[in-house]
Amino acid sequence: MDIKETVRQFITKNFYVPDPSVLTDDVSFLDKGIIDSTSVLELTTFLEQEFGIQIADDELVPENLDSLANVKAFVQRKKG
């Protein structure tokens, strides 16, 4: 399973996503109310454990974590 699908499954299982079909690659998790500040920490912990990466506090920004596409690109950069 690829990064996006792994993260999509985590989000739909652990957060309130009333209509999973809206969870397209580029939809903003924050704009759709799918995640909040606490959820970002849960997502970060999941990413660190699932993909064996370390995420610094200054990396907790929407450019890295606010959509499936952003998360995939971020994880790929971190895994190098």
Side-chain angles (χ1 to χ4, degrees):
M1 186 177 315
D2 76 356
I3 294 168
K4 280 192 293 191
E5 286 308 311
T6 301
V7 174
R8 184 188 320 271
Q9 286 186 4
F10 173 79
I11 288 174
T12 57
K13 181 180 177 184
N14 292 284
F15 305 123
Y16 178 68
V17 182
D19 180 4
S21 69
V22 304
L23 196 55
T24 59
D25 292 356
D26 296 315
V27 73
S28 167
F29 302 148
L30 294 169
D31 289 348
K32 292 292 182 183
I34 295 170
I35 64 172
D36 57 19
S37 58
T38 303
S39 304
V40 168
L41 297 177
E42 291 178 54
L43 177 59
T44 300
T45 300
F46 169 76
L47 295 174
E48 288 179 332
Q49 292 174 349
E50 182 71 20
F51 300 108
I53 60 175
Q54 292 296 312
I55 302 174
D57 289 346
D58 64 344
E59 295 174 314
L60 299 175
V61 295
E63 292 80 15
N64 293 334
L65 302 169
D66 192 33
S67 70
L68 291 170
N70 289 5
V71 170
K72 179 180 179 178
F74 176 64
V75 170
Q76 288 175 326
R77 284 192 309 274
K78 292 294 285 185
K79 290 182 72 79

